[in-house]
């Protein structure tokens, strides 16, 4: 008798965007949800139309929304061949709307950073308070 051949199904996670971010509210010690964030390529060939997103309940942005359905991965793939893959990007966090304009010193926080398209993933956490912030390259 012939035994049925087992079928294996490979489940793969969706591809991770080359740039992600995370916002933590230092006043509560919790993730900052519903923070509007824009991501703009400054060079080369920039500034680009911004990609946008809003932080999730865990304060993270793992997926960006672009004009006409363009994706960050497509931008990276296209730019990897230009200018040796060196890029400058800007993240803008709408901190005024998050805290309330009368409750913060910063209407927005902008973080500009270098990216090498061939160096994999970039994660930028923002530790945010109404009167201060800090950031670093995460993993």
């Amino acid at each position: 008798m012939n035994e049925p051949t087992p079928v294996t199904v490979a489940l793969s996670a969706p591809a991770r965007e080359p740039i992600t971010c995370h916002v933590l509210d230092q006043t509560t010690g919790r993730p900052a949800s519903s923070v509007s964030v824009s991501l703009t390529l400054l060079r080369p060939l920039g500034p680009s139309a911004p990609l946008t997103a809003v932080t999730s309940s865990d304060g993270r942005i793992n997926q960006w929304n672009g004009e006409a359905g363009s994706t960050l991965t497509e931008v990276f793939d296209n730019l990897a061949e230009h200018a040796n893959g060196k890029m400058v990007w800007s993240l803008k966090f709408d901190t005024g709307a998050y805290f309330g304009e009368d409750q913060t010193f910063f209407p927005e926080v902008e973080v500009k950073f270098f990216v090498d398209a061939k160096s994999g993933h970039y994660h930028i956490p923002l530790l945010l308070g109404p009167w201060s912030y800090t950031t670093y390259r995460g993993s």
Side-chain angles (χ1 to χ4, degrees):
M1 213 192 242
N2 290 337
E3 297 279 328
T5 305
V7 176
T8 54
V9 177
L11 298 176
S12 62
R16 179 169 60 172
E17 293 273 31
I19 298 173
T20 57
C21 67
H22 191 190
V23 183
L24 298 170
D25 184 330
Q26 291 181 313
T27 62
T28 63
R30 311 270 311 148
S33 63
S34 302
V35 177
S36 295
V37 183
S38 66
L39 176 65
T40 304
L41 174 67
L42 299 178
R43 12 178 252 255
L45 311 174
S48 67
L51 292 104
T52 59
V54 175
T55 57
S56 65
S57 61
D58 69 350
R60 295 180 183 274
I61 292 180
N62 294 316
Q63 196 72 39
W64 297 97
N65 304 308
E67 287 185 354
S70 63
T71 69
L72 181 57
T73 301
E74 291 169 344
V75 172
F76 258 66
D77 290 345
N78 291 333
L79 286 172
E81 299 173 12
H82 298 286
N84 298 322
K86 302 289 186 195
M87 299 177 254
V88 176
W89 288 86
S90 167
L91 277 170
K92 285 187 184 176
F93 300 85
D94 188 357
T95 54
Y98 176 73
F99 284 116
E101 289 191 12
D102 295 337
Q103 303 298 315
T104 184
F105 185 65
F106 304 103
E108 71 181 10
V109 169
E110 181 175 18
V111 179
K112 294 180 182 179
F113 53 98
F114 291 106
V115 168
D116 182 343
K118 298 173 184 117
S119 292
H121 177 251
Y122 289 78
H123 183 69
I124 296 86
L126 179 68
L127 308 176
L128 181 63
W131 317 113
S132 66
Y133 66 89
T134 190
T135 187
Y136 57 95
R137 181 177 178 187
S139 58

